[in-house]
């Protein structure tokens, strides 16, 4: 099955710093998504990407759909304490005939005030 | 409702007992998904329902797991003869017609099997 490698596994940064995390896949995806999960909550969708090369922003978040369709990155600029949480990438390949998402294992972000 | 709701929020059971987990999707969402999240792991797909079509059960880990969706809305995930390795957070998600990529998640049910 499809595998997603997400890195880094965890990050400790100072408030105000920029953050970058990425995901790579063993095969292509048609859609890349980035979710954030707070403790005790379900993941919340941050950004959805639908086209290879697409660069999309949502406030301080920017994500890109890699041109090879096998990778994506998420950047967070000027981090603040409420950015703390676990960030997951997820991909979908419509050719598989299924609507399930494949998830990375997450990047745990800690922000030091 | 405003979002996906799940119940119970926490469930502790003894090994060998059956459990039922409930999911109430967003009103109007025709697709419903169940995922499992083990400690420190990403989400593992279990099963998907779309309208009245036969569910995609390809992710169910064993025949002890089953799910149903009544009336195209509420879904129940049943785990029979629970094992300790079933301990995880079970997450439900729903999506609107034709927009299956953007899945909205509930808060999950944390299952602990002693």
């Amino acid at each position: 099955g499809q595998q997603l490698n997400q890195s880094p596994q965890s990050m400790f940064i100072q408030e105000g710093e920029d953050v970058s995390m990425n995901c790579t896949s063993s095969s292509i995806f048609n859609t890349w998504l980035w979710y954030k999960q707070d403790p005790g909550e379900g993941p919340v969708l941050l950004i959805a990407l639908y086209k290879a090369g697409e660069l999309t922003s949502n406030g301080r978040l920017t994500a890109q759909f890699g041109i090879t369709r096998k990778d994506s990155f998420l950047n967070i600029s000027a981090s603040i304490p409420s950015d703390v949480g676990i960030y997951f990438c997820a991909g979908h390949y419509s050719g598989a005939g299924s609507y399930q998402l494949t998830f990375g294992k997450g990047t745990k972000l800690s922000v030091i005030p | 409702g405003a979002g996906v709701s799940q119940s119970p929020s926490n469930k502790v059971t003894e090994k060998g007992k059956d459990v039922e987990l409930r999911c109430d999707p967003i009103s109007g969402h025709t697709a419903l998904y169940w995922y499992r999240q083990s400690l420190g792991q990403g989400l593992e797909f279990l099963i998907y329902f779309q309208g009245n079509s036969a569910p995609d059960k390809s992710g169910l880990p064993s025949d002890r797991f089953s799910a149903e969706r009544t009336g195209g809305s509420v879904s129940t995930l049943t785990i029979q003869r629970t094992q300790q390795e079933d301990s995880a957070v079970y997450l439900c998600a729903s999506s609107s017609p034709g927009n299956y990529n953007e899945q909205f998640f509930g808060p999950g049910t944390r299952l602990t099997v002693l």
Side-chain angles (χ1 to χ4, degrees):
Chain A
Q2 294 173 317
Q3 306 266 341
L4 277 187
N5 294 309
Q6 184 171 352
S7 65
Q9 192 173 6
S10 63
M11 309 179 73
F12 287 83
I13 61 167
Q14 293 282 345
E15 183 177 357
E17 286 185 351
D18 297 344
V19 172
S20 185
M21 58 192 80
N22 69 84
C23 273
T24 57
S25 169
S26 56
S27 53
I28 62 172
F29 284 114
N30 298 117
T31 306
W32 281 96
L33 306 109
W34 286 92
Y35 284 85
K36 182 191 178 203
Q37 186 176 29
D38 291 327
E41 302 289 329
V44 173
L45 181 64
L46 299 174
I47 292 180
L49 302 157
Y50 297 101
K51 240 168 64 164
E54 179 181 353
L55 183 72
T56 296
S57 293
N58 177 9
R60 292 179 296 106
L61 307 178
T62 301
Q64 183 157 31
F65 190 141
I67 199 73
T68 66
R69 296 167 65 191
K70 291 185 178 182
D71 64 300
S72 176
F73 71 74
L74 174 71
N75 287 342
I76 306 173
S77 62
S79 58
I80 59 178
S82 62
D83 291 335
V84 164
I86 303 178
Y87 292 79
F88 291 98
C89 62
H92 176 262
Y93 177 60
S94 58
S98 172
Y99 297 101
Q100 62 176 281
L101 296 178
T102 302
F103 281 82
K105 292 188 177 180
T107 295
K108 185 174 181 181
L109 178 64
S110 300
V111 179
I112 304 165
Chain B
V4 178
S5 60
Q6 293 186 244
S7 62
S9 55
N10 279 285
K11 177 71 178 179
V12 180
T13 190
E14 293 179 347
K15 178 181 169 181
K17 295 280 178 68
D18 297 351
V19 295
E20 282 190 354
L21 313 179
R22 177 189 166 106
C23 172
D24 203 338
I26 293 173
S27 178
H29 280 193
T30 54
L32 186 148
Y33 315 76
W34 283 98
Y35 292 86
R36 178 169 69 175
Q37 185 176 29
S38 300
L39 187 63
Q41 299 294 314
L43 280 68
E44 172 193 5
F45 168 77
L46 297 177
I47 189 169
Y48 156 73
F49 295 91
Q50 171 59 54
N52 295 321
S53 303
D56 174 0
K57 304 179 183 180
S58 59
L60 293 179
S62 79
D63 58 8
R64 296 185 296 104
F65 288 72
S66 63
E68 62 177 22
R69 189 179 185 191
T70 53
S73 181
V74 171
S75 176
T76 302
L77 177 69
T78 301
I79 309 173
Q80 296 178 306
R81 305 181 302 281
T82 52
Q83 304 293 313
Q84 287 183 331
E85 61 263 28
D86 298 336
S87 296
V89 176
Y90 289 82
L91 290 158
C92 175
S94 68
S95 63
S96 59
N99 199 8
Y100 53 84
N101 289 301
E102 297 186 17
Q103 298 177 18
F104 293 85
F105 285 83
T109 294
R110 179 175 296 279
L111 175 66
T112 303
V113 183
L114 302 176

